[in-house]
Amino acid sequence: MASKIRTEVNVSIREGIHDRMTPVQRAGLLRLLQERDSDGTTLFNRLKKPAKGPTWSHFKNLAKRLEWVDELGDTSVWMESVATGKITDFAGEADAADASELRDYAPIKQIALIACLTHKARMRVRDDLATMFCKRVATKIKKAKEELEEIRLAEREIVEALIGNYHTVLKNIDADGPAQEALTKAAAMTAEVRRALDGLDDESPVGEVAQRLGGKVSPAVLAMAKALVVQAGGLGAVTKTVEGFGGFVQQYEQIEKVSAHHGNFWEVLLGRSAGTAGQFVRKHFEAMVFTALAEELRTGDVAVVGSEEYADWSRQLLDWEVVKEKLGTYLVEVGLCEEGETAAFDAVPFRRQLEDKLTAAAAAADAGYPDNEGLVIDPETGIPSLKPHRSEGQRPSARRLEQEIKARMPERSLMGIVARTAYWVDGWQRFGPVSGNELKLGDPFGRYVITTFVKGTNMGPYEAARHIPGVSGHELAYTANRHFSIVLLNEAIADLVNAHARLDISQAWGDGTTVAADGTHMDTYLDNLLAETSVRYGKPGGIAYHHISDTYVALFTHFIPCGVWEAVYIIEGLLKNSSEVQPTTVHADTQGQSQPVFALAHLLGVDLMPRIRNWKGLTFYRPSKTTEYVHIDALFGEVGKNVIDWDLIESQFRHLIAPRPGPDRRRSPPSRLTRPRAGRHHEAMDEAPELPRTRQVGGVVVV
């Protein structure tokens, strides 16, 4: 019955897509199955091609592909009122098929599937263009910063020379220098003349001047002239010194050259131009516009119309009236309040709860400080430090236990482990054709087990067929492409995690409430948008970011680029974990912490426990201006400073719990109540951004 109803619903949806298209548009999609591209494949295959690396030529080709897919028609009109999940399913079915197979489909189904794939292709090419743009700008910024560092190194000799020159000039004009000696001598020589001429001006009669000087005008003027010569000689010594360094002009040029790169002003190096200093340089302006745009795209403050991963996330949020219906249950679920307290829970108790939590934590730390042998706080500077902890090593009884377990544990092949696990768990039944049709494989269990082994060991289908008798590379590739998907794999993983949690031995390791998050470098081919060169490993690839339960099973895995701040993927992995094992405490390394993630973790009822590198340089906040402590007071700095702004937190309560644009078009970060679709634009969230105030202009959300 369910299968029949599902078929009827799908037929109705496909007919609606078909009817919303014009005859010209339908004919255009059908031509994709017939016409050939420059590489000999059909144009239909062009819809499925992934983006390549972020080179300039690939960027231009991707822009041309955007124009091409847009010319096929406005797919948003075709997909009107069709659920996103159905579009994804139909597009996945078309993506798994080739042109020859689609030609055998019924006309309406054929056109509807291609239309859904085209709709996804239009969104994907916008996503790829935005990602490629951000990556190219990031590359330019990196090169500018590297060039700035090279300039600083190259200018070190100039700086040292300028310091030496300045030292020499100072010696000349110092108290014991020649310039000061000349000035002192000149002052003494002119003292007598100045006394004699005191009170005279340019209109004084000659007779009075002669009487004042006693008839010695010529000797006085001669003394004055000699004094001026001596004084000029003193200044000349300084001038001659500067001339020996190349002259005043050259010294000024060197000082300006060095001063231009004193700060972290790498921006001036983004757009090289032959423009004159002080004039408007168009390339510099464009470079800064692109830099700002890339940053806004990554943080989600600018949206791309028609995109999926760079879409306007605020449109996915709920209205406050809708949230209020769910808020009580949610608050109890995440532990923000107890059953029965939800009616009165608003901004005031939320603030008081946080205030009490900080007060209690600080008081406990202060009371326990005398007995804490590992923590030391400098009473003068307030800088904390931890004493190194030395492991006691493995006990002999633990080694004997390990040896005994190994002796009793039979050796199994990896293929045997995969087959036994699939047989016991039945997770293999999650796999099947994307279309949802009945399986047409003679031995689906065996085929799925082998395919899981091949893909899990990162072997290609044809390479694996050389070592596994009874299967061909075509069979393995067909099964992987037509019967496997990321969604189905995650469902099968959840089944495996649930089965593992029911084993007695898993409870010996943990209760499932704790998880550790960390990444592992994975090799990939370089010519794609995800792969980057890892600074740590020195080779291209990506990072497989795992969430490992304390029951020793992987709950969820992301594949993310190298070099991104990993903290945001902690939250995303927890939200996407659909297994029965739902951890409430997360451990991570330094990459697992940031201010926004700490805030989100609290709102989600998760205890985030990362290792924080350089934590002694962070600011510790007091609950109030008057709070003082006996043992750890120096940790918080001067009394009255570094105090939490509780009024600000209270004023933002509604935005934190359920952000939704109001009449003034303000936006706030999403909460778990909305569970928005995650995109790539969160990869740059290294530091805590302020709540953005944005508006919408021409369909684009901007700051």
Side-chain angles (χ1 to χ4, degrees):
M1 184 185 298
S3 177
K4 181 179 179 181
I5 294 175
R6 179 179 183 275
T7 301
E8 292 177 356
V9 170
N10 287 346
V11 169
S12 175
I13 294 174
R14 289 195 290 260
E15 288 176 348
I17 296 174
H18 178 273
D19 295 341
R20 283 188 288 271
M21 300 172 64
T22 65
V24 175
Q25 291 171 341
R26 297 185 201 125
L29 293 188
L30 292 176
R31 282 198 299 271
L32 298 178
L33 303 178
Q34 306 295 335
E35 297 181 3
R36 299 283 174 174
D37 210 341
S38 58
D39 58 359
T41 60
T42 60
L43 293 178
F44 172 73
N45 192 56
R46 189 192 292 184
L47 290 175
K48 302 189 287 185
K49 285 184 178 179
K52 296 183 178 181
T55 64
W56 176 234
S57 60
H58 292 163
F59 186 86
K60 292 190 292 185
N61 291 336
L62 201 58
K64 293 179 181 177
R65 188 187 300 182
L66 174 63
E67 297 177 359
W68 174 72
V69 294
D70 282 348
E71 290 173 356
L72 296 176
D74 187 355
T75 58
S76 60
V77 176
W78 307 347
M79 302 301 148
E80 185 179 352
S81 73
V82 180
T84 303
K86 280 298 179 184
I87 298 175
T88 302
D89 290 343
F90 291 159
E93 184 175 353
D95 186 66
D98 53 33
S100 60
E101 288 178 299
L102 281 175
R103 295 190 197 106
D104 297 332
Y105 282 26
I108 293 179
K109 181 177 180 180
Q110 183 184 86
I111 290 175
L113 295 186
I114 300 176
C116 290
L117 184 61
T118 303
H119 181 68
K120 282 290 186 179
R122 291 185 71 210
M123 291 192 294
R124 186 175 66 247
V125 72
R126 284 166 168 78
D127 292 338
D128 293 340
L129 271 173
T131 300
M132 192 176 291
F133 169 76
C134 291
K135 285 182 174 289
R136 288 191 58 79
V137 172
T139 301
K140 295 293 184 182
I141 292 175
K142 181 180 178 182
K143 289 182 178 179
K145 291 181 177 180
E146 291 175 349
E147 185 178 356
L148 175 61
E149 190 62 28
E150 291 175 359
I151 290 174
R152 286 173 173 172
L153 291 175
E155 291 176 349
R156 185 173 297 172
E157 295 181 3
I158 299 177
V159 173
E160 293 175 353
L162 288 174
I163 292 174
N165 297 347
Y166 184 57
H167 181 265
T168 303
V169 172
L170 288 178
K171 288 178 64 178
N172 280 308
I173 62 177
D174 200 2
D176 298 329
Q180 291 293 339
E181 291 179 0
L183 289 174
T184 303
K185 185 176 181 181
M189 295 173 67
T190 59
E192 180 180 352
V193 178
R194 283 189 289 106
R195 285 194 302 270
L197 298 178
D198 185 36
L200 297 177
D201 55 25
D202 55 351
E203 295 182 358
S204 299
V206 176
E208 184 178 355
V209 173
Q211 181 181 0
R212 297 280 287 279
L213 296 178
K216 299 179 180 180
V217 176
S218 297
V221 173
L222 180 62
M224 179 73 74
K226 290 181 178 180
L228 293 175
V229 171
V230 172
Q231 183 174 352
L235 295 175
V238 179
T239 304
K240 187 177 296 183
T241 301
V242 176
E243 292 294 337
F245 300 145
F248 285 91
V249 174
Q250 182 177 338
Q251 291 294 286
Y252 287 140
E253 289 179 352
Q254 290 181 341
I255 291 173
E256 290 176 0
K257 184 177 181 181
V258 173
S259 299
H261 305 106
H262 270 181
N264 192 27
F265 301 135
W266 48 264
E267 293 88 350
V268 297
L269 303 174
L270 278 175
R272 287 296 192 176
S273 175
T276 306
Q279 295 182 354
F280 176 80
V281 182
R282 177 179 174 179
K283 287 186 177 181
H284 291 172
F285 175 74
E286 291 176 347
M288 295 315 304
V289 169
F290 291 153
T291 302
L293 177 58
E295 181 63 21
E296 302 298 274
L297 282 171
R298 286 194 293 261
T299 58
D301 290 330
V302 168
V304 178
V305 177
S307 172
E308 184 173 24
E309 295 177 348
Y310 292 89
D312 182 3
W313 52 266
S314 66
R315 297 183 182 275
Q316 305 173 41
L317 306 181
L318 303 177
D319 291 319
W320 178 250
E321 296 302 321
V322 178
V323 170
K324 285 197 298 186
E325 300 177 2
K326 305 175 180 290
L327 185 57
T329 304
Y330 171 76
L331 293 173
V332 174
E333 177 187 347
V334 300
L336 290 179
C337 66
E338 300 294 334
E339 191 76 42
E341 299 177 353
T342 57
F345 192 90
D346 55 15
V348 175
F350 178 69
R351 166 187 176 161
R352 185 171 59 249
Q353 185 184 84
L354 290 174
E355 199 168 354
D356 292 344
K357 187 174 182 179
L358 177 58
T359 301
D366 186 54
Y369 180 76
D371 298 328
N372 193 328
E373 298 178 354
L375 175 65
V376 177
I377 300 176
D378 190 308
E380 299 295 331
T381 63
I383 297 177
S385 60
L386 292 174
K387 296 180 180 179
H389 175 73
R390 300 186 181 278
S391 173
E392 297 178 357
Q394 192 179 34
R395 289 178 294 178
S397 59
R399 286 195 294 270
R400 291 195 302 270
L401 175 61
E402 180 182 0
Q403 294 170 359
E404 188 65 23
I405 291 176
K406 287 183 177 180
R408 298 185 183 187
M409 183 180 295
E411 183 174 338
R412 306 287 189 188
S413 67
L414 182 56
M415 180 72 81
I417 293 174
V418 174
R420 284 182 171 85
T421 303
Y423 180 77
W424 289 332
V425 178
D426 279 343
W428 64 274
Q429 297 190 20
R430 294 284 188 179
F431 306 126
V434 179
S435 61
N437 298 328
E438 295 293 330
L439 299 178
K440 297 181 180 179
L441 300 177
D443 179 20
F445 174 82
R447 187 70 60 84
Y448 292 162
V449 167
I450 295 176
T451 304
T452 302
F453 172 81
V454 170
K455 302 298 286 186
T457 55
N458 206 24
M459 282 195 299
Y462 292 91
E463 176 67 20
R466 295 173 54 193
H467 306 284
I468 303 175
V471 294
S472 66
H474 174 74
E475 290 174 331
L476 293 176
Y478 180 91
T479 305
N481 294 334
R482 307 297 172 82
H483 292 244
F484 281 69
S485 68
I486 297 297
V487 175
L488 298 179
L489 281 170
N490 286 333
E491 291 177 357
I493 288 173
D495 291 338
L496 185 62
V497 172
N498 294 338
H500 179 271
R502 290 190 286 270
L503 296 176
D504 294 339
I505 194 172
S506 68
Q507 302 301 318
W509 294 321
D511 57 6
T513 60
T514 303
V515 68
D518 202 358
T520 303
H521 182 268
M522 301 288 290
D523 293 331
T524 65
Y525 67 95
L526 188 58
D527 197 10
N528 65 79
L529 277 181
L530 182 64
E532 294 180 356
T533 300
S534 171
V535 176
R536 179 185 301 178
Y537 299 98
K539 53 184 178 180
I543 300 296
Y545 196 64
H546 308 287
H547 286 66
I548 309 298
S549 169
D550 59 357
T551 60
Y552 279 79
V553 66
L555 299 182
F556 197 82
T557 297
H558 278 88
F559 199 71
I560 62 178
C562 301
V564 302
W565 197 257
E566 299 171 354
V568 70
Y569 292 101
I570 288 182
I571 303 298
E572 190 171 351
L574 294 177
L575 295 179
K576 289 186 175 181
N577 169 35
S578 59
S579 70
E580 298 172 359
V581 180
Q582 295 290 326
T584 56
T585 301
V586 182
H587 294 275
D589 57 12
T590 295
Q591 289 259 322
Q593 58 86 24
S594 74
Q595 291 183 10
V597 177
F598 272 119
L600 284 174
H602 177 74
L603 294 173
L604 295 173
V606 175
D607 291 328
L608 181 59
M609 308 287 287
R611 175 177 60 85
I612 303 178
R613 187 191 315 119
N614 300 326
W615 66 285
K616 60 185 179 182
L618 300 179
T619 301
F620 291 83
Y621 289 86
R622 300 175 185 269
S624 68
K625 292 183 178 180
T626 58
T627 305
E628 295 186 44
Y629 300 96
V630 178
H631 306 292
I632 64 172
D633 198 67
L635 189 67
F636 302 93
E638 185 179 343
V639 177
K641 294 185 177 180
N642 299 332
V643 180
I644 295 291
D645 189 346
W646 301 109
D647 293 334
L648 176 62
I649 295 177
E650 182 178 343
S651 68
Q652 296 297 319
F653 170 73
R654 183 173 294 189
H655 294 284
L656 292 170
I657 295 296
R660 182 61 187 171
D664 60 351
R665 304 299 297 170
R666 294 188 181 185
R667 305 286 193 267
S668 300
S671 73
R672 189 182 185 184
L673 283 172
T674 60
R675 287 180 178 256
R677 179 176 59 252
R680 293 178 182 169
H681 52 245
H682 52 47
E683 293 175 356
M685 192 173 65
D686 293 356
E687 298 297 334
E690 296 181 357
L691 297 181
R693 296 183 179 182
T694 61
R695 62 185 182 275
Q696 191 170 20
V697 180
V700 178
V701 179
V702 298
V703 172

